[in-house]
Amino acid sequence: MELDDVIKFHGHLCPGLVIGYRVATYAANKFKDRAEDEELVVIVENKSCSVDAIQVVNGCTFGKGNLVFRDLGKHVYTFFKRGNPEALRISINPRQRREDPRYNELFPKVRNGTATDEEKEEFKQRHAERGLAILDIPDEELFTATNVEIEPPEKAMVYRSIACAECGEEAMETRLRVKNGQMVCLSCFEGHDI
């Protein structure tokens, strides 16, 4: 897969996406294949743009059960093959970012919605340039890759869906709860909508 394939899937070029692309291609070179089912698994410790690149390049997705999310807010990615306790753990190294006062000025404006159309376009360009610069960082400077042994998570389990007695929406049977003698989804059980 090429970076353009990843950008097309994600919708734009950004530093997080390029980090994910670099991690994903490094892992792809080590494991020599893309997951057709759930034989290659990745545990991601963030929910950033980087994860989209891993889905495209490595074929690891929530739907197949081979993309496992641990909400630790870290750029750490652990790849392994089912049945093999050896894993590849890739963690992004702290980087010395090129100081760009204009980028730093535009970022909060874009984030809080006060940027003009011209400022948004300038930010988009600077953001993309920061992403492309990551392509030139040598692997050993960008990340640390170590071989580790892990206890692999269980394979994805498929259960039937059952309609909630309150809202009528189907939910996986393992996520239903009994409320007033009826099977209800977690939202109805906890009394809130998502």
Side-chain angles (χ1 to χ4, degrees):
M1 298 284 173
E2 299 297 324
L3 181 58
D4 286 342
D5 298 315
V6 174
I7 294 168
K8 184 176 180 183
F9 176 81
H10 183 66
H12 64 268
L13 173 63
C14 63
L17 190 68
V18 178
I19 286 171
Y21 177 73
R22 293 287 305 279
V23 166
T25 54
Y26 186 87
N29 287 332
K30 174 164 174 56
F31 290 102
K32 304 294 183 211
D33 60 4
R34 185 175 189 277
E36 293 298 321
D37 193 17
E38 56 178 291
E39 63 281 358
L40 177 65
V41 180
V42 64
I43 300 169
V44 299
E45 297 184 16
N46 69 78
K47 58 181 178 179
S48 72
C49 302
S50 62
V51 179
D52 281 355
I54 289 168
Q55 291 183 88
V56 173
V57 173
N58 305 107
C60 298
T61 66
F62 283 117
K64 288 191 282 190
N66 62 343
L67 175 62
V68 178
F69 172 57
R70 292 196 179 140
D71 193 6
L72 301 175
K74 297 167 63 174
H75 275 288
V76 175
Y77 312 87
T78 304
F79 293 84
F80 64 93
K81 290 274 191 129
R82 290 241 185 243
N84 185 345
E86 267 189 35
L88 175 67
R89 184 179 190 272
I90 302 172
S91 62
I92 302 303
N93 295 330
R95 296 185 313 281
Q96 298 297 322
R97 290 175 169 59
R98 177 178 53 88
E99 194 56 39
D100 183 347
R102 180 65 177 155
Y103 178 89
N104 295 339
E105 176 187 329
L106 292 171
F107 189 83
K109 287 181 165 186
V110 170
R111 183 66 82 192
N112 69 24
T114 61
T116 65
D117 288 342
E118 293 80 21
E119 289 173 325
K120 288 178 194 172
E121 191 56 39
E122 181 182 356
F123 176 80
K124 181 180 173 184
Q125 179 64 35
R126 288 176 182 268
H127 203 55
E129 288 169 2
R130 288 170 82 93
L132 289 174
I134 294 169
L135 290 173
D136 296 326
I137 301 172
D139 290 346
E140 61 277 0
E141 288 180 31
L142 181 60
F143 53 77
T144 299
T146 53
N147 291 319
V148 297
E149 284 198 17
I150 64 166
E151 183 68 36
E154 292 182 18
K155 287 185 85 168
M157 298 300 291
V158 179
Y159 297 94
R160 66 187 179 125
S161 294
I162 299 173
C164 171
E166 284 190 21
C167 70
E169 296 175 348
E170 288 191 343
M172 187 184 307
E173 67 181 326
T174 60
R175 298 294 188 252
L176 295 171
R177 301 293 181 265
V178 177
K179 180 179 176 186
N180 299 326
Q182 296 186 312
M183 298 302 287
V184 297
C185 67
L186 288 173
S187 298
C188 292
F189 183 75
E190 294 171 357
H192 60 81
D193 292 325
I194 294 177

